[in-house]
């Protein structure tokens, strides 16, 4: 099982360059970065971790594509990903170009983790209607795939998402990056995973024993090859028993959570995580 990492990189933490070099030298498989464009002060949406205040790092995250570009430039093997890209908060034509460029420059090392977010106020500032965010995300993903197609391809969605048949290069390696959809287990999410993603990125990895058979059923009902489904537990605080359980369930990769700290703190945690490599 591949051991990757995630971290809230900010203007106060270890740098992307330093972290990426250390990860590759130590033998970790990948680096995934989250994003928040901003956190409105008058937010009324509760932070999903019940009973706790929103951590400081949420309002200070680096742009993941810029940071991953730096990481790509100083590594050769380290896989690079987002966990997650808030797909409804981006112009999909611009996002398709960013993704294709990063995947091209990194030699096909990029994984696109996408999701729909939890912060209603943040999404509203991007003009997102909360009740239709899932369908909007689906259409924006379809538009990006149209731009990544070998031949100029038009796309017209039902929510005003459209693009003319266009020349759009570079192309991601393999036609599109590996795409993992994040979010809580449920029939709507699993239906979308089966429709247009390569797998699921469950945060924390709780409840997989019950959820994975349901997802596999949705996957096969959609005519997808059972052998191709990927489930990547994300932002995991590890212990040997937990990782062994994921491996028994068929997970081929797990993403461990690093603290949003300075160089000394983060490298110390990497030393602790080395036991899992």
């Amino acid at each position: 099982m591949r051991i990757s990492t995630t971290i809230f990189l900010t203007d106060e933490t270890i740098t992307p360059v330093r972290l990426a070099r250390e990860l590759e030298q130590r033998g970790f498989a990948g680096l995934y970065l989250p994003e928040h464009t901003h956190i409105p002060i008058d937010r009324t949406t509760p932070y999903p971790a019940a009973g706790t205040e929103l951590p400081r790092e949420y309002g200070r995250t680096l742009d993941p594509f810029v940071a991953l570009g730096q990481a790509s430039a100083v590594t050769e093997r380290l896989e690079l990903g987002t966990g997650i890209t808030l797909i409804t908060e981006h112009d999909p034509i611009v996002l398709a170009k960013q993704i294709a460029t990063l995947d091209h420059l990194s030699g096909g090392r990029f994984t696109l983790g996408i999701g729909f977010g939890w912060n209603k106020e943040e999404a509203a500032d991007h003009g997102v209607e909360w009740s239709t965010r899932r369908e909007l995300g689906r259409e924006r993903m379809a538009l990006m795939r149209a731009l990544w197609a070998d031949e100029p391809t038009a796309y017209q969605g039902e929510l005003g998402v459209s693009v003319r048949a266009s020349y759009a290069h570079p192309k991601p390696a393999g036609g599109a990056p590996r795409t993992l959809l994040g979010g809580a287990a449920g029939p709507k999410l699993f239906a979308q995973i089966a429709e247009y993603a390569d797998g699921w990125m469950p945060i924390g990895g709780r409840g997989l024993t019950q959820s994975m058979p349901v997802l596999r059923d949705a996957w096969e009902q959609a005519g997808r090859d059972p052998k191709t489904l990927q489930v990547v537990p994300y932002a995991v605080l590890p212990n040997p028993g937990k990782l062994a359980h994921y491996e028994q369930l068929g997970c081929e990769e797990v993403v461990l959570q690093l603290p949003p700290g300075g160089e000394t703190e983060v490298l110390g945690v990497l030393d602790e995580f080395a036991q899992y490599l």
Side-chain angles (χ1 to χ4, degrees), residues 23 36 53 57 82 96 110 113 134 136 138 146 153 178 217 246:
L23 289 171
H36 283 282
E53 293 294 322
E57 59 267 20
T82 54
F110 181 67
R134 291 177 182 273
L136 179 63
R138 173 184 171 277
T153 303
R178 179 176 70 148
D217 183 64
Y246 295 154

Side-chain angles (χ1 to χ4, degrees), residues 185-186 190 200 206-216:
F190 288 172
W200 183 29
R206 291 184 296 274
L208 286 184
T209 301
Q210 295 75 32
S211 298
M212 284 185 65
V214 181
L215 174 56
R216 287 196 182 103

Side-chain angles (χ1 to χ4, degrees), residues 42-259:
D42 63 352
R43 175 179 57 87
T44 59
T45 308
Y47 175 48
T52 60
E53 293 294 322
L54 184 70
R56 172 183 175 87
E57 59 267 20
Y58 275 69
R60 307 186 74 95
T61 55
L62 302 183
D63 179 277
F65 292 98
V66 175
L68 289 171
Q70 283 199 329
S72 168
V74 298
T75 56
E76 296 180 352
R77 302 176 304 280
L78 188 71
E79 296 178 14
L80 310 163
T82 54
I84 56 173
T85 294
L86 296 167
I87 191 169
T88 61
E89 296 185 4
H90 291 267
D91 179 310
I93 298 174
V94 175
L95 182 60
K97 175 68 76 173
Q98 289 176 300
I99 290 168
T101 300
L102 179 56
D103 196 59
H104 169 72
L105 293 177
S106 68
R109 288 187 278 152
F110 181 67
T111 290
L112 175 62
I114 61 172
F116 311 112
W118 57 268
N119 190 329
K120 293 181 181 180
E121 290 76 24
E122 178 184 354
D125 282 348
H126 288 278
V128 176
E129 179 65 41
W130 193 251
S131 63
T132 58
R133 70 193 187 284
R134 291 177 182 273
E135 183 58 26
L136 179 63
R138 173 184 171 277
E139 291 194 3
R140 289 186 173 179
M141 193 69 217
L143 181 151
M144 292 197 297
R145 289 187 181 276
L147 288 172
W148 295 333
D150 289 338
E151 298 297 328
T153 303
Y155 176 77
Q156 178 66 59
E158 297 180 358
L159 297 176
V161 177
S162 65
V163 68
R164 297 173 174 85
S166 305
Y167 299 113
H169 291 268
K171 304 294 185 184
R178 179 176 70 148
T179 302
L180 303 173
L181 185 53
K188 291 182 179 179
L189 181 76
F190 288 172
Q192 287 200 309
I193 291 172
E195 179 185 357
Y196 63 81
D198 298 301
W200 183 29
M201 184 182 277
I203 295 177
R206 291 184 296 274
L208 286 184
T209 301
Q210 295 75 32
S211 298
M212 284 185 65
V214 181
L215 174 56
R216 287 196 182 103
D217 183 64
W219 187 265
E220 294 180 30
Q221 290 281 345
R224 306 288 297 271
D225 182 350
K227 297 179 181 178
T228 63
L229 174 61
Q230 300 178 51
V231 176
V232 180
Y234 186 77
V236 170
L237 298 176
N239 62 58
K242 187 184 294 186
L243 298 191
H245 177 60
Y246 295 154
E247 194 164 21
Q248 290 171 355
L249 290 174
C251 300
E252 297 180 355
E253 181 182 11
V254 62
V255 182
L256 307 186
Q257 181 70 62
L258 294 171

Side-chain angles (χ1 to χ4, degrees), residues 5 7 9 14-31 67-80 109 258 263 266-267 270 277:
T5 61
I7 182 175
L9 285 180
I14 188 172
T15 67
V17 167
R18 180 75 166 121
L19 177 58
R21 283 174 168 156
E22 288 288 339
L23 289 171
E24 183 159 276
Q25 290 171 6
R26 293 163 183 254
F28 288 89
L31 171 64
L68 289 171
Q70 283 199 329
S72 168
V74 298
T75 56
E76 296 180 352
R77 302 176 304 280
L78 188 71
E79 296 178 14
L80 310 163
R109 288 187 278 152
L258 294 171
E263 187 171 307
V266 172
L267 297 185
L270 287 183
L277 295 175

